[in-house]
Each structure stands twice: as structure tokens, then as C-alpha cells.
Amino acid sequence: MSGLGLAVHQFRFDQKTFWRNPASVFFTVMLPVIFLLIFATIFGNDTIHELGGVQTTTYYVPAIITLGVISASTQSLAINLTVDRENGILKRTRATPLPGWVFIAGRVGNSIVVSVISLIVLSVIGLVIYGVEIPWDHLPAVFTTLAIGAASFCCLGVALTAAIPSEDAAAPITNFCLLPLYFLSGVFIPESEIPDGVLSFADIFPIRHFFEAFFAAWNPATTGSGFEWGDLAIVAAWGVVFLLIALKTFRWTPRHT
């Protein structure tokens, strides 16, 4: 079987494994849905005048899609790869004829597909329950932004495993890295309510730029194609950095050995 055929086979296996794990499905797919229902229901009648009069529901749909993509890529990969490493699964996989890149490619492919599913589910909920229109004219920008973001945050997830010493530390360390940035980057709190100094600090990190690009693509008031190439370039640059770190630091054997 060719390398591509092996990668497709591994991807199919990872998809079956993911959907047969109720806990993974809940925290990766359903938790963003719960966040959207909470934030959009509580703040849905508000208008954010500082952002051109956009409704809060229209703001939170791309915001929570941003969270869903990062959850499906960085969070899912960092936790699952660490668990597999500490349980010796990566070590045994490395000892087989299966190329290492095929194993990682299957996990990355699974994360990207779950990101797309999260996008579809959240956008449908936004449309049906809250009347948030899907930006059909900006769909190329939406899917390009999602692809660049998912790929870059997958690289972050793989690189982050080097900083996680044990299976028990995987979720706490991952949440410690991501949760504060969700608040600082405008994902949980509208950026109009965040001080400029905090937003300037958040601009250092890729989450802020990914959300900015996604919000521009989703916002009906955005003119033109909806692409925010400057933000996307920064997200892609972070992805390259994370990829280089992952190639240098990723390990297949448990940390306790």
C-alpha cells in the first residue's frame, strides 16, 4: 500500500476510534455547542455598537467556532497523543512498519474533519435558533480560514505534548494554555469589553488572530471577499514554528521510562 493509502487507512481508523469514544465526542463537539447556547441565550439581544452594530449572536457564532476548531485540533491532539504515549501505544506503533508521519497524519486528518463538523453544527444552530445568517458569499474565506487555523493548531497540539509530563497532566496543562487566551482574545467576552492593552497582549498569540480572521469572514458587514490575509499569515507562521518544534521535540516513548 502506498503512503497515501496508509494515511487514508489510518485516518479511517482514527475516525472510528473517535466516534466510538463518547467522552471525546462530548468534549470536542458538544461542549462548544453548550458554550454557544449559553452565551447566545444570555447576551443574544445585545448589540455591539463598537463593532458596527453587530448582534451578539452573530459575534458568538464565529467565536465559538474558533473555540471548536482549537478544541478539535490543539486540545484533542495534545491530550490523546500524551495518553497514547504514556500507555506505550506510540512506542508500539513506532516499532511497526507503519511510518510515523502516517500515524500523525491520521490524527491530524481526524482533527480537521471534526473541525469542519463543528463548523457545520454550530452554524446550523446559529441559523435555526438565533437567526444568524450563514455568510454564503464568504464561504471560500470561511473554509480557507478554518483550514489554515486547524492545520496550525494541530501543529501546536503535537508540539505541546513535549511539555506534558504525564497522562494526568495533559488536560490541566492544555486548559491552562488555552482558557486564559480565550478570554483575552475576545472569544468568550466581546472585544469591545476588553481593554486595548489586553487585546495588544493577546495579539502576540495565534488564537486572537485566528478569531479575528474568522469573525471577518463570518460578519455580514464585512465587504469584499472576507479574507484577512494579515491575520492568516500570522496564524500560518505560528503553525510553521510549532511544526518545527514538534519535529524536534516529539517523542514516541513514555516520559517515565
Side-chain angles (χ1 to χ4, degrees):
M1 187 179 294
S2 65
L4 179 59
L6 286 172
V8 172
H9 179 77
Q10 182 66 34
F11 162 73
R12 292 173 58 192
F13 173 79
D14 289 328
Q15 275 278 285
K16 291 179 181 178
T17 302
F18 173 80
W19 293 109
R20 291 173 181 174
N21 187 335
S24 293
V25 173
F26 176 81
F27 285 104
T28 306
V29 178
M30 294 308 300
L31 197 58
V33 171
I34 294 174
F35 277 128
L36 177 61
L37 294 174
I38 291 174
F39 287 116
T41 300
I42 294 175
F43 304 109
N45 293 326
D46 295 341
T47 299
I48 308 176
H49 298 286
E50 295 85 351
L51 298 179
V54 65
Q55 294 293 314
T56 309
T57 48
T58 303
Y59 182 90
Y60 274 118
V61 168
I64 302 303
I65 290 175
T66 298
L67 180 147
V69 171
I70 297 173
S71 175
S73 51
T74 298
Q75 195 163 11
S76 179
L77 276 175
I79 294 175
N80 291 335
L81 286 176
T82 300
V83 171
D84 288 350
R85 183 192 70 199
E86 295 306 305
N87 289 329
I89 295 175
L90 295 189
K91 182 179 180 180
R92 292 195 295 272
T93 300
R94 189 62 168 168
T96 69
L98 182 72
W101 72 266
V102 169
F103 179 84
I104 300 298
R107 294 296 178 93
V108 170
N110 177 71
S111 296
I112 293 175
V113 168
V114 174
S115 296
V116 174
I117 292 174
S118 182
L119 164 70
I120 295 172
V121 171
L122 292 170
S123 61
V124 169
I125 290 175
L127 175 64
V128 173
I129 298 180
Y130 303 106
V132 178
E133 294 295 329
I134 296 174
W136 301 108
D137 293 341
H138 293 165
L139 283 187
V142 168
F143 282 105
T144 300
T145 301
L146 182 141
I148 293 175
S152 297
F153 285 104
C154 280
C155 294
L156 170 58
V158 178
L160 189 57
T161 60
I164 302 176
S166 65
E167 179 179 347
D168 293 336
I173 290 178
T174 305
N175 287 325
F176 176 79
C177 294
L178 297 178
L179 279 178
L181 290 176
Y182 288 144
F183 285 96
L184 301 181
S185 301
V187 173
F188 287 154
I189 304 173
E191 61 182 66
S192 58
E193 304 297 324
I194 302 175
D196 291 338
V198 175
L199 290 176
S200 297
F201 175 77
D203 278 336
I204 300 173
F205 304 97
I207 291 179
R208 171 67 179 164
H209 294 281
F210 180 48
F211 169 59
E212 283 282 277
F214 215 101
F215 178 71
W218 203 271
N219 187 357
T222 301
T223 58
S225 63
F227 286 98
E228 287 292 332
W229 292 114
D231 289 312
L232 290 177
I234 293 174
V235 174
W238 273 96
V240 172
V241 171
F242 292 140
L243 176 61
L244 295 175
I245 294 174
L247 291 174
K248 193 73 174 178
T249 63
F250 185 77
R251 58 182 295 162
W252 297 83
T253 58
R255 291 284 291 269
H256 62 264
T257 59

